[in-house]
Coordinates of all heavy atoms in Angstrom, one line a residue:
M1401 N 0.9 -1.2 0.0 CA 0.0 0.0 0.0 C 0.9 1.2 0.0 O 1.9 1.3 0.7 CB -0.9 0.0 1.2 CG -1.8 1.1 1.3 SD -2.9 0.8 2.7 CE -3.4 2.5 3.0
L1402 N 0.5 2.2 -0.7 CA 1.3 3.4 -0.8 C 0.9 4.4 0.4 O -0.3 4.6 0.7 CB 1.0 4.2 -2.1 CG 1.4 3.4 -3.4 CD1 0.9 4.2 -4.6 CD2 2.8 3.2 -3.4
R1403 N 1.9 4.9 1.0 CA 1.7 5.8 2.1 C 2.3 7.2 1.7 O 3.5 7.2 1.2 CB 2.3 5.3 3.3 CG 1.6 4.1 3.8 CD 2.2 3.6 5.1 NE 1.5 2.4 5.5 CZ 1.8 1.7 6.6 NH1 2.8 2.1 7.4 NH2 1.2 0.6 6.9
P1404 N 1.6 8.3 1.9 CA 2.2 9.6 1.6 C 3.4 9.9 2.6 O 3.4 9.5 3.7 CB 1.1 10.5 1.7 CG 0.2 9.9 2.7 CD 0.3 8.4 2.5
K1405 N 4.4 10.6 2.0 CA 5.5 10.9 2.9 C 5.2 12.1 3.7 O 5.7 12.3 4.8 CB 6.8 11.2 2.0 CG 7.3 10.0 1.3 CD 8.5 10.4 0.5 CE 9.0 9.1 -0.2 NZ 10.2 9.4 -1.0
I1406 N 4.3 13.0 3.2 CA 3.9 14.2 4.0 C 2.5 13.9 4.6 O 1.6 13.4 3.9 CB 3.8 15.4 3.1 CG1 5.2 15.7 2.4 CG2 3.3 16.6 3.8 CD1 5.2 16.7 1.4
P1407 N 2.4 14.0 5.9 CA 1.1 13.7 6.5 C 0.0 14.7 5.9 O 0.2 15.8 5.7 CB 1.3 14.0 8.0 CG 2.6 14.7 8.1 CD 3.4 14.5 6.9
T1408 N -1.2 14.1 5.8 CA -2.2 14.9 5.2 C -3.1 15.5 6.4 O -3.2 14.9 7.4 CB -3.2 14.0 4.3 OG1 -3.6 12.9 5.2 CG2 -2.5 13.5 3.2
N1409 N -3.5 16.7 6.2 CA -4.3 17.4 7.2 C -5.8 17.2 6.9 O -6.2 17.3 5.8 CB -4.0 18.9 7.2 CG -2.6 19.2 7.6 OD1 -2.0 18.4 8.4 ND2 -2.0 20.2 7.1
P1410 N -6.6 16.9 7.9 CA -8.0 16.7 7.7 C -8.6 18.1 7.3 O -8.2 19.1 7.8 CB -8.6 16.2 9.0 CG -7.6 16.6 10.0 CD -6.2 16.7 9.3
L1411 N -9.7 18.0 6.5 CA -10.4 19.2 6.1 C -11.3 19.6 7.2 O -11.8 18.8 7.9 CB -11.2 18.9 4.8 CG -10.3 18.6 3.6 CD1 -11.2 18.3 2.4 CD2 -9.4 19.8 3.2
P1412 N -11.5 20.9 7.3 CA -12.5 21.3 8.4 C -13.9 20.9 8.0 O -14.3 20.8 6.9 CB -12.4 22.9 8.3 CG -11.7 23.2 7.1 CD -10.9 22.0 6.7
T1413 N -14.7 20.5 9.1 CA -16.0 20.0 8.9 C -17.1 21.1 8.8 O -18.1 20.8 8.3 CB -16.4 19.0 10.0 OG1 -16.2 19.7 11.3 CG2 -15.4 17.9 10.0
G1414 N -16.8 22.2 9.3 CA -17.8 23.3 9.3 C -17.2 24.6 8.8 O -16.1 24.6 8.3
I1415 N -17.9 25.6 8.9 CA -17.4 27.0 8.5 C -16.5 27.4 9.6 O -16.9 27.5 10.8 CB -18.6 27.9 8.3 CG1 -19.5 27.4 7.2 CG2 -18.1 29.3 8.0 CD1 -20.7 28.3 7.0
V1416 N -15.3 27.8 9.2 CA -14.4 28.3 10.2 C -14.3 29.8 10.1 O -14.0 30.3 9.0 CB -13.0 27.6 9.9 CG1 -12.0 28.1 10.9 CG2 -13.1 26.1 10.0
T1417 N -14.6 30.5 11.1 CA -14.5 31.9 11.1 C -13.5 32.3 12.2 O -13.4 31.7 13.3 CB -15.8 32.6 11.3 OG1 -16.4 32.1 12.6 CG2 -16.8 32.3 10.2
G1418 N -12.9 33.4 12.0 CA -11.9 33.9 13.0 C -11.0 34.9 12.4 O -10.9 35.1 11.2
T1419 N -10.3 35.6 13.3 CA -9.4 36.5 12.8 C -8.0 36.2 13.3 O -7.8 35.4 14.3 CB -9.7 37.9 13.4 OG1 -9.7 37.8 14.8 CG2 -11.1 38.4 12.9
A1420 N -7.1 36.6 12.6 CA -5.7 36.3 12.9 C -5.3 37.2 14.1 O -5.6 38.4 14.1 CB -4.8 36.6 11.7
R1421 N -4.7 36.6 15.1 CA -4.3 37.3 16.3 C -2.8 37.4 16.3 O -2.1 36.5 16.0 CB -4.8 36.6 17.5 CG -6.3 36.6 17.6 CD -6.8 35.7 18.8 NE -6.0 35.8 20.0 CZ -6.2 35.2 21.1 NH1 -7.2 34.3 21.1 NH2 -5.5 35.3 22.1
S1422 N -2.3 38.6 16.6 CA -0.9 38.8 16.6 C -0.2 38.5 17.9 O 1.0 38.3 18.0 CB -0.6 40.3 16.2 OG -1.1 41.1 17.2
D1423 N -1.0 38.3 19.0 CA -0.4 38.0 20.3 C -0.2 36.5 20.5 O 0.5 36.1 21.4 CB -1.3 38.5 21.5 CG -2.7 37.9 21.4 OD1 -3.1 37.4 20.3 OD2 -3.4 37.9 22.4
V1424 N -0.7 35.7 19.6 CA -0.5 34.3 19.7 C 0.6 33.9 18.7 O 0.5 34.2 17.5 CB -1.8 33.5 19.4 CG1 -1.6 32.0 19.4 CG2 -2.9 33.9 20.3
P1425 N 1.6 33.3 19.2 CA 2.7 32.9 18.3 C 2.2 31.8 17.3 O 1.4 31.0 17.6 CB 3.8 32.3 19.2 CG 3.1 31.9 20.4 CD 1.9 32.8 20.6
A1426 N 2.8 31.9 16.1 CA 2.4 30.9 15.1 C 2.9 29.6 15.5 O 3.8 29.4 16.3 CB 3.1 31.3 13.8
M1427 N 2.2 28.5 15.0 CA 2.6 27.2 15.4 C 4.0 26.9 14.8 O 4.2 27.2 13.6 CB 1.6 26.2 14.7 CG 0.3 26.0 15.5 SD -0.7 24.8 14.8 CE 0.2 23.3 15.1
P1428 N 4.8 26.3 15.5 CA 6.2 25.9 15.0 C 6.0 24.9 13.9 O 5.2 24.0 14.0 CB 6.9 25.4 16.2 CG 5.9 25.0 17.2 CD 4.7 25.8 16.9
Q1429 N 6.9 25.0 12.9 CA 6.8 24.0 11.9 C 7.3 22.7 12.4 O 8.4 22.6 13.0 CB 7.7 24.5 10.7 CG 7.2 25.7 10.0 CD 6.0 25.4 9.1 OE1 5.8 24.3 8.7 NE2 5.1 26.4 8.9
Q1430 N 6.5 21.7 12.1 CA 6.9 20.3 12.5 C 7.5 19.6 11.3 O 6.9 19.6 10.2 CB 5.8 19.6 13.1 CG 5.2 20.1 14.4 CD 4.1 19.3 14.9 OE1 3.6 18.4 14.2 NE2 3.7 19.6 16.1
T1431 N 8.7 19.1 11.5 CA 9.3 18.3 10.4 C 8.7 16.9 10.4 O 8.5 16.3 11.5 CB 10.8 18.2 10.5 OG1 11.1 17.6 11.7 CG2 11.4 19.6 10.4
P1432 N 8.3 16.4 9.2 CA 7.8 15.0 9.2 C 8.9 14.1 9.7 O 10.0 14.2 9.5 CB 7.4 14.8 7.8 CG 8.2 15.8 7.0 CD 8.5 17.0 7.9
A1433 N 8.4 13.0 10.3 CA 9.3 12.0 10.7 C 9.9 11.3 9.5 O 9.3 11.1 8.5 CB 8.6 10.9 11.6
P1434 N 11.2 11.0 9.6 CA 11.9 10.3 8.4 C 11.2 9.0 8.1 O 10.9 8.2 9.0 CB 13.3 10.2 8.9 CG 13.3 10.3 10.3 CD 12.1 11.1 10.7
A1435 N 11.0 8.8 6.9 CA 10.5 7.5 6.4 C 11.5 6.4 6.6 O 12.7 6.6 6.5 CB 10.0 7.6 5.0
T1436 N 11.0 5.3 7.0 CA 11.9 4.1 7.2 C 12.3 3.6 5.8 O 11.5 3.5 4.9 CB 11.2 3.0 8.0 OG1 10.0 2.6 7.3 CG2 10.8 3.5 9.4
T1437 N 13.6 3.4 5.7 CA 14.1 3.0 4.4 C 14.5 1.5 4.5 O 15.0 1.1 5.6 CB 15.3 3.8 4.0 OG1 16.3 3.7 5.0 CG2 15.0 5.3 3.8
T1438 N 14.3 0.9 3.4 CA 14.7 -0.6 3.4 C 16.1 -0.6 3.0 O 16.6 0.3 2.2 CB 13.8 -1.3 2.4 OG1 14.0 -0.7 1.1 CG2 12.3 -1.4 2.8
P1439 N 16.9 -1.6 3.5 CA 18.3 -1.6 3.0 C 18.4 -1.9 1.6 O 17.6 -2.6 1.0 CB 18.8 -2.8 3.9 CG 17.6 -3.6 4.3 CD 16.5 -2.6 4.4
A1440 N 19.4 -1.2 1.0 CA 19.6 -1.3 -0.5 C 20.2 -2.7 -0.8 O 21.2 -3.1 -0.2 CB 20.5 -0.2 -1.0
R1441 N 19.5 -3.4 -1.6 CA 20.0 -4.8 -2.0 C 19.5 -5.0 -3.4 O 18.5 -4.5 -3.8 CB 19.6 -5.9 -1.0 CG 18.1 -6.1 -1.0 CD 17.7 -7.2 -0.1 NE 16.3 -7.4 -0.2 CZ 15.7 -8.5 0.1 NH1 16.4 -9.5 0.6 NH2 14.4 -8.7 0.0
P1442 N 20.2 -5.8 -4.1 CA 19.7 -6.1 -5.5 C 18.4 -6.9 -5.5 O 18.1 -7.6 -4.6 CB 20.8 -7.0 -6.1 CG 21.5 -7.6 -4.9 CD 21.4 -6.6 -3.8
T1443 N 17.6 -6.6 -6.5 CA 16.3 -7.2 -6.5 C 16.4 -8.7 -6.9 O 15.6 -9.5 -6.6 CB 15.4 -6.5 -7.6 OG1 16.0 -6.5 -8.8 CG2 15.1 -5.1 -7.1
V1444 N 17.4 -9.0 -7.7 CA 17.7 -10.4 -8.1 C 19.0 -10.9 -7.4 O 20.0 -10.3 -7.7 CB 17.8 -10.5 -9.6 CG1 18.1 -12.0 -10.0 CG2 16.5 -10.1 -10.3
Q1445 N 18.9 -11.9 -6.6 CA 20.0 -12.4 -6.0 C 20.5 -13.7 -6.7 O 19.7 -14.7 -6.8 CB 19.7 -12.8 -4.5 CG 19.4 -11.5 -3.7 CD 19.1 -11.8 -2.3 OE1 19.0 -13.0 -1.9 NE2 19.1 -10.8 -1.4
L1446 N 21.7 -13.7 -7.2 CA 22.2 -14.8 -8.0 C 23.2 -15.6 -7.2 O 24.1 -15.0 -6.5 CB 22.9 -14.3 -9.3 CG 22.0 -13.6 -10.3 CD1 22.9 -13.1 -11.5 CD2 21.0 -14.6 -10.9
T1447 N 23.0 -16.9 -7.2 CA 23.9 -17.8 -6.5 C 25.1 -18.0 -7.5 O 25.0 -17.8 -8.7 CB 23.2 -19.1 -6.2 OG1 22.8 -19.7 -7.4 CG2 22.0 -18.8 -5.3
P1448 N 26.2 -18.5 -7.0 CA 27.3 -18.8 -7.9 C 26.9 -19.8 -9.0 O 27.4 -19.7 -10.2 CB 28.4 -19.4 -7.0 CG 28.1 -18.8 -5.7 CD 26.6 -18.7 -5.6
G1449 N 26.1 -20.8 -8.7 CA 25.6 -21.7 -9.7 C 24.8 -21.0 -10.8 O 24.9 -21.3 -12.0
A1450 N 23.9 -20.1 -10.4 CA 23.1 -19.3 -11.4 C 24.0 -18.4 -12.2 O 23.7 -18.3 -13.4 CB 22.1 -18.5 -10.6
V1451 N 25.0 -17.9 -11.7 CA 26.0 -17.0 -12.5 C 26.6 -17.9 -13.5 O 26.7 -17.5 -14.7 CB 27.0 -16.3 -11.6 CG1 28.0 -15.6 -12.4 CG2 26.3 -15.3 -10.7
V1452 N 27.1 -19.1 -13.1 CA 27.7 -19.9 -14.1 C 26.7 -20.4 -15.2 O 27.1 -20.4 -16.4 CB 28.3 -21.2 -13.4 CG1 28.8 -22.3 -14.4 CG2 29.5 -20.8 -12.5
A1453 N 25.5 -20.6 -14.8 CA 24.5 -21.0 -15.8 C 24.2 -19.9 -16.7 O 24.0 -20.1 -18.0 CB 23.2 -21.4 -15.1
V1454 N 24.1 -18.6 -16.3 CA 23.9 -17.5 -17.1 C 25.0 -17.3 -18.1 O 24.8 -17.1 -19.3 CB 23.6 -16.2 -16.3 CG1 23.7 -15.0 -17.1 CG2 22.3 -16.3 -15.5
I1455 N 26.2 -17.4 -17.6 CA 27.4 -17.3 -18.5 C 27.5 -18.4 -19.5 O 27.7 -18.2 -20.7 CB 28.7 -17.3 -17.6 CG1 28.8 -16.0 -16.8 CG2 30.0 -17.4 -18.5 CD1 29.9 -15.9 -15.8
G1456 N 27.2 -19.6 -19.1 CA 27.1 -20.7 -20.0 C 26.0 -20.5 -21.1 O 26.2 -20.8 -22.3
G1457 N 24.9 -20.1 -20.7 CA 23.8 -19.8 -21.6 C 24.1 -18.7 -22.6 O 23.9 -18.8 -23.8
G1458 N 24.8 -17.7 -22.1 CA 25.2 -16.6 -23.0 C 26.2 -17.0 -24.0 O 26.2 -16.7 -25.2
T1459 N 27.1 -17.9 -23.5 CA 28.2 -18.4 -24.5 C 27.5 -19.3 -25.5 O 27.9 -19.2 -26.7 CB 29.2 -19.2 -23.6 OG1 29.8 -18.4 -22.6 CG2 30.3 -19.8 -24.5
A1460 N 26.6 -20.1 -25.1 CA 25.9 -21.0 -26.1 C 25.1 -20.1 -27.1 O 25.2 -20.5 -28.3 CB 24.9 -21.9 -25.3
V1461 N 24.5 -19.1 -26.7 CA 23.8 -18.2 -27.6 C 24.7 -17.6 -28.6 O 24.5 -17.6 -29.8 CB 23.0 -17.2 -26.9 CG1 22.5 -16.1 -27.8 CG2 21.8 -17.8 -26.1
V1462 N 25.9 -17.1 -28.1 CA 26.9 -16.5 -29.0 C 27.4 -17.5 -30.0 O 27.6 -17.2 -31.2 CB 28.0 -15.9 -28.2 CG1 29.2 -15.5 -29.0 CG2 27.5 -14.6 -27.4
L1463 N 27.7 -18.7 -29.5 CA 28.2 -19.7 -30.4 C 27.1 -20.1 -31.5 O 27.5 -20.3 -32.7 CB 28.6 -21.0 -29.7 CG 29.8 -20.8 -28.8 CD1 30.1 -22.1 -28.0 CD2 31.1 -20.5 -29.7
V1464 N 25.9 -20.2 -31.1 CA 24.8 -20.6 -32.1 C 24.7 -19.5 -33.1 O 24.6 -19.7 -34.3 CB 23.5 -20.9 -31.4 CG1 22.3 -21.0 -32.4 CG2 23.6 -22.2 -30.6
V1465 N 24.6 -18.3 -32.7 CA 24.4 -17.1 -33.6 C 25.6 -17.0 -34.5 O 25.5 -16.8 -35.7 CB 24.2 -15.8 -32.8 CG1 24.3 -14.6 -33.7 CG2 22.9 -15.9 -32.1
G1466 N 26.8 -17.2 -34.0 CA 28.0 -17.2 -34.8 C 28.0 -18.3 -35.8 O 28.4 -18.0 -37.0
A1467 N 27.6 -19.5 -35.4 CA 27.6 -20.6 -36.4 C 26.5 -20.3 -37.5 O 26.8 -20.6 -38.7 CB 27.2 -21.9 -35.7
V1468 N 25.4 -19.7 -37.2 CA 24.4 -19.4 -38.2 C 24.9 -18.4 -39.1 O 24.8 -18.5 -40.4 CB 23.1 -18.9 -37.5 CG1 22.1 -18.3 -38.5 CG2 22.4 -20.1 -36.8
L1469 N 25.6 -17.3 -38.6 CA 26.1 -16.3 -39.5 C 27.2 -16.8 -40.4 O 27.3 -16.5 -41.6 CB 26.7 -15.1 -38.6 CG 25.6 -14.3 -37.9 CD1 26.2 -13.2 -37.0 CD2 24.6 -13.7 -38.9
V1470 N 28.1 -17.7 -39.9 CA 29.2 -18.2 -40.7 C 28.6 -19.1 -41.8 O 29.0 -19.1 -42.9 CB 30.2 -19.0 -39.8 CG1 31.1 -19.9 -40.6 CG2 31.0 -18.0 -38.9
S1471 N 27.6 -19.9 -41.4 CA 27.0 -20.8 -42.4 C 26.3 -20.0 -43.5 O 26.3 -20.3 -44.7 CB 26.0 -21.8 -41.8 OG 24.9 -21.0 -41.2
M1472 N 25.7 -18.9 -43.1 CA 25.1 -18.0 -44.2 C 26.1 -17.4 -45.0 O 26.0 -17.3 -46.3 CB 24.2 -16.9 -43.5 CG 22.9 -17.4 -42.8 SD 22.1 -16.1 -41.9 CE 21.7 -15.0 -43.2
L1473 N 27.3 -17.0 -44.5 CA 28.3 -16.4 -45.3 C 28.9 -17.5 -46.2 O 29.2 -17.2 -47.4 CB 29.5 -16.0 -44.3 CG 30.7 -15.4 -45.0 CD1 30.4 -14.1 -45.7 CD2 31.8 -15.1 -44.0
L1474 N 29.1 -18.7 -45.7 CA 29.5 -19.8 -46.6 C 28.5 -20.1 -47.7 O 28.9 -20.3 -48.9 CB 29.8 -21.1 -45.8 CG 31.1 -21.0 -44.9 CD1 31.1 -22.3 -44.1 CD2 32.3 -20.9 -45.8
A1475 N 27.2 -20.0 -47.4 CA 26.2 -20.3 -48.4 C 26.3 -19.2 -49.5 O 26.2 -19.5 -50.7 CB 24.8 -20.3 -47.8
V1476 N 26.5 -18.0 -49.1 CA 26.6 -16.9 -50.1 C 27.8 -17.1 -51.0 O 27.8 -16.9 -52.2 CB 26.5 -15.6 -49.4 CG1 27.0 -14.4 -50.3 CG2 25.2 -15.3 -48.8
A1477 N 28.9 -17.5 -50.3 CA 30.2 -17.6 -51.0 C 30.1 -18.8 -52.0 O 30.5 -18.7 -53.2 CB 31.3 -17.9 -50.1
V1478 N 29.5 -19.9 -51.6 CA 29.3 -21.0 -52.5 C 28.4 -20.7 -53.7 O 28.6 -21.0 -54.9 CB 28.8 -22.3 -51.8 CG1 28.3 -23.3 -52.7 CG2 29.9 -22.8 -50.8
T1479 N 27.3 -20.0 -53.4 CA 26.4 -19.5 -54.5 C 27.1 -18.6 -55.4 O 26.9 -18.7 -56.7 CB 25.2 -18.8 -53.8 OG1 24.6 -19.7 -52.9 CG2 24.2 -18.4 -54.9
A1480 N 27.9 -17.7 -54.9 CA 28.6 -16.7 -55.8 C 29.6 -17.5 -56.7 O 29.7 -17.2 -57.9 CB 29.3 -15.7 -55.0
A1481 N 30.3 -18.4 -56.1 CA 31.3 -19.2 -56.8 C 30.6 -20.0 -57.9 O 31.1 -20.1 -59.1 CB 32.1 -20.1 -55.9
S1482 N 29.5 -20.7 -57.6 CA 28.8 -21.5 -58.6 C 28.2 -20.6 -59.8 O 28.3 -21.0 -60.9 CB 27.7 -22.3 -58.0 OG 26.7 -21.4 -57.5
L1483 N 27.8 -19.4 -59.4 CA 27.3 -18.5 -60.5 C 28.4 -18.0 -61.3 O 28.3 -17.9 -62.6 CB 26.6 -17.3 -59.8 CG 25.2 -17.6 -59.3 CD1 24.6 -16.3 -58.6 CD2 24.2 -18.0 -60.5
A1484 N 29.6 -17.8 -60.7 CA 30.7 -17.3 -61.5 C 31.2 -18.4 -62.5 O 31.5 -18.2 -63.6 CB 31.9 -16.9 -60.6
I1485 N 31.2 -19.7 -62.0 CA 31.6 -20.8 -62.8 C 30.6 -21.0 -63.9 O 31.0 -21.2 -65.1 CB 31.8 -22.1 -62.0 CG1 33.0 -21.9 -61.1 CG2 31.9 -23.3 -62.9 CD1 33.1 -23.0 -60.1
S1486 N 29.3 -20.9 -63.6 CA 28.3 -21.0 -64.7 C 28.4 -19.9 -65.7 O 28.3 -20.2 -66.9 CB 26.9 -20.9 -64.0 OG 26.7 -22.0 -63.1
A1487 N 28.7 -18.7 -65.3 CA 28.9 -17.6 -66.2 C 30.1 -17.8 -67.1 O 30.0 -17.6 -68.3 CB 29.1 -16.3 -65.5
L1488 N 31.2 -18.4 -66.6 CA 32.3 -18.7 -67.4 C 32.0 -19.8 -68.4 O 32.4 -19.7 -69.6 CB 33.5 -19.1 -66.5 CG 34.2 -18.0 -65.7 CD1 35.2 -18.6 -64.8 CD2 34.8 -17.0 -66.6
V1489 N 31.3 -20.8 -68.0 CA 30.9 -21.9 -68.9 C 30.1 -21.3 -70.1 O 30.2 -21.7 -71.2 CB 30.3 -23.1 -68.2 CG1 29.6 -24.0 -69.1 CG2 31.3 -23.7 -67.3
V1490 N 29.0 -20.5 -69.7 CA 28.1 -20.0 -70.7 C 28.9 -19.1 -71.6 O 28.7 -19.1 -72.9 CB 26.9 -19.3 -70.1 CG1 26.1 -18.4 -71.1 CG2 26.0 -20.3 -69.3
R1491 N 29.8 -18.3 -71.1 CA 30.6 -17.4 -72.0 C 31.5 -18.2 -72.9 O 31.7 -17.9 -74.1 CB 31.4 -16.4 -71.1 CG 32.1 -15.4 -71.9 CD 32.8 -14.4 -71.0 NE 34.2 -14.7 -71.0 CZ 35.1 -14.0 -70.3 NH1 34.8 -13.1 -69.4 NH2 36.4 -14.3 -70.5
S1492 N 32.0 -19.2 -72.4 CA 32.9 -20.1 -73.2 C 32.1 -20.7 -74.3 O 32.6 -20.8 -75.5 CB 33.6 -21.2 -72.3 OG 34.1 -22.2 -73.1
L1493 N 30.9 -21.2 -74.0 CA 30.0 -21.9 -75.0 C 29.6 -20.9 -76.1 O 29.6 -21.2 -77.3 CB 28.8 -22.5 -74.4 CG 29.1 -23.7 -73.5 CD1 27.8 -24.2 -72.8 CD2 29.6 -24.9 -74.4
V1494 N 29.3 -19.7 -75.7 CA 28.9 -18.7 -76.6 C 30.0 -18.3 -77.6 O 29.9 -18.1 -78.8 CB 28.3 -17.4 -75.9 CG1 28.0 -16.3 -76.9 CG2 26.9 -17.8 -75.3
A1495 N 31.2 -18.1 -77.0 CA 32.4 -17.8 -77.7 C 32.8 -18.9 -78.7 O 33.2 -18.6 -79.8 CB 33.6 -17.4 -76.8
S1496 N 32.6 -20.1 -78.3 CA 33.0 -21.2 -79.2 C 32.0 -21.3 -80.4 O 32.4 -21.7 -81.5 CB 33.1 -22.5 -78.5 OG 31.9 -22.9 -78.0
Q1497 N 30.8 -21.0 -80.1 CA 29.8 -21.1 -81.2 C 29.9 -20.0 -82.2 O 29.7 -20.1 -83.4 CB 28.3 -21.0 -80.6 CG 27.9 -22.3 -80.0 CD 26.5 -22.2 -79.4 OE1 25.9 -21.2 -79.5 NE2 26.0 -23.3 -78.9
N1498 N 30.5 -18.8 -81.8 CA 30.7 -17.7 -82.7 C 31.9 -18.0 -83.6 O 31.9 -17.5 -84.7 CB 31.0 -16.4 -81.9 CG 29.7 -15.9 -81.3 OD1 28.6 -16.3 -81.7 ND2 29.8 -15.0 -80.3
H1499 N 32.9 -18.8 -83.2 CA 34.0 -19.1 -84.0 C 33.7 -20.1 -85.1 O 34.4 -20.3 -86.0 CB 35.2 -19.5 -83.1 CG 35.8 -18.4 -82.3 ND1 36.0 -17.1 -82.8 CD2 36.2 -18.4 -81.0 CE1 36.5 -16.4 -81.8 NE2 36.6 -17.1 -80.7
R1500 N 32.7 -20.9 -84.9 CA 32.4 -22.0 -85.8 C 31.6 -21.5 -86.9 O 30.8 -20.8 -87.1 CB 31.7 -23.2 -85.1 CG 32.7 -23.8 -84.2 CD 31.9 -25.0 -83.6 NE 32.8 -25.6 -82.6 CZ 32.5 -26.7 -81.9 NH1 31.4 -27.3 -82.1 NH2 33.3 -27.2 -81.1

């Protein structure tokens, strides 16, 4: 439940009439009581085993993503090489037909 830090004053229930008197000293300012603070601690407490598991999981993710990227690079390289070879063969065939 949320609690206000500054105490709230109740509203008057009726009509309040009166004049300000100069012979009565003003009420001293009361400072609100300091709010109790909870000790600062992390919201997630990790055990050494959990830290090792998180590091291992992160390493596995990096390795899988790296393997996928390398395989895509190899696929592009193989495709480019095969297209280059096909282009050379077609060019060779066209050139040999023109000489005959």
Side-chain angles (χ1 to χ4, degrees):
M1401 181 175 157
L1402 298 174
R1403 294 184 182 176
K1405 293 182 179 180
I1406 300 173
T1408 57
N1409 296 327
L1411 295 175
T1413 57
I1415 299 175
V1416 179
T1417 58
T1419 58
R1421 295 175 37 185
S1422 63
D1423 59 341
V1424 177
M1427 283 184 63
Q1429 291 290 333
Q1430 294 180 350
T1431 58
T1436 58
T1437 58
T1438 58
R1441 64 179 187 157
T1443 56
V1444 177
Q1445 294 179 350
L1446 294 175
T1447 62
V1451 171
V1452 170
V1454 167
I1455 291 172
T1459 303
V1461 167
V1462 167
L1463 289 176
V1464 167
V1465 169
V1468 168
L1469 291 177
V1470 167
S1471 66
M1472 289 174 63
L1473 178 66
L1474 287 174
V1476 168
V1478 167
T1479 303
S1482 66
L1483 284 175
I1485 292 172
S1486 299
L1488 287 175
V1489 169
V1490 169
R1491 187 174 107 181
S1492 166
L1493 290 174
V1494 170
S1496 67
Q1497 284 181 357
N1498 286 341
H1499 290 316
R1500 292 184 187 181

